[in-house]
Amino acid sequence: QKEVEQNSGPLSVPEGAIASLNCTYSDRGSQSFFWYRQYSGKSPELIMFIYSNGDKEDGRFTAQLNKASQYVSLLIRDSQPSDSATYLCAADGSSNTGKLIFGQGTTLQVKP
Amino acid sequence: GAVVSQHPSWVICKSGTSVKIECRSLDFQATTMFWYRQFPKQSLMLMATSNEGSKATYEQGVEKDKFLINHASLTLSTLTVTSAHPEDSSFYICSARDSGASTEAFFGQGTRLTVV
């Protein structure tokens, strides 16, 4: 069974700190990986996606991919209370159809 | 980014009735749309893949006769929950991928279904 695993948390960090969110996946055929942020009662919103090994930066967010270790991470620099949410990691499961397999999500709490 | 509109955003219905949820891609064409379900404090679980002009593909354990999917055009997919029961109460979310683009799938705002 294709799986995406995340620590459910909660992960608590002080305001201004770096939050590090981790994700592992089981399907080696997965090509693209996504990080979504979901506020309570709302639909997920895409933060960024990555498909090449290494780092990809976008503002305060950096996604890291290591295909050999089947590991994806998201770093949030200068964390703000408004970043408090559930972060969902997703993989395309080698389908390349837009179908995504989601992890259970990590709840992040940024404390002022 | 592209816009996916889902309607209604919330609905309350009585047990035994049917509810239809619409998912529209507003500024792009989507040959494929996806329907997810999310129970409280759980992740999104894919229910089915909706294919324009053909039958939907359902994930294991999802009853195709209970969750009817129609994808009659390149911009609209509908999910009908038939004979709804309280255990069907959940957050239903659709997503769509731009047929002309490569990677991203965009989510609708979700529909909170409560069956009483």
Side-chain angles (χ1 to χ4, degrees), chain A residues 6 32 34 36 38 41-46 49 51 88 96-105, chain B residues 32 34 36 38 41-44 46 49 59 91 93 95 97 102-105 107-110 112:
Chain A
Q6 292 180 260
S32 301
F34 304 80
Y36 288 87
Q38 186 177 29
K42 301 294 185 181
S43 191
E45 53 180 327
L46 182 67
F49 65 87
Y51 49 82
L88 300 169
N96 197 32
T97 61
K99 172 180 173 178
L100 297 178
I101 302 166
F102 283 86
Q104 64 268 45
Chain B
T32 305
F34 304 92
Y36 295 86
Q38 186 178 36
K41 299 198 182 299
Q42 295 187 26
S43 191
L44 279 72
L46 180 66
T49 302
E59 296 298 303
F91 192 45
I93 312 173
S95 75
R97 189 184 185 198
S102 57
T103 307
E104 256 185 277
F107 282 87
Q109 59 267 55
R112 174 75 57 192

Side-chain angles (χ1 to χ4, degrees), chain A residues 1-2 92-93 95 97-102, chain B residues 32-37 44-51 55-65 67 69 79:
Chain A
Q1 178 155 348
K2 301 174 183 177
D92 68 355
S95 68
T97 61
K99 172 180 173 178
L100 297 178
I101 302 166
F102 283 86
Chain B
T32 305
M33 293 186 178
F34 304 92
W35 287 96
Y36 295 86
R37 179 169 55 183
L44 279 72
M45 296 300 295
L46 180 66
M47 298 175 67
T49 302
S50 173
N51 305 297
K55 291 182 179 180
T57 304
Y58 290 82
E59 296 298 303
Q60 190 173 8
V62 178
E63 300 176 57
K64 65 180 192 312
D65 293 330
F67 299 98
I69 292 173
L79 168 69

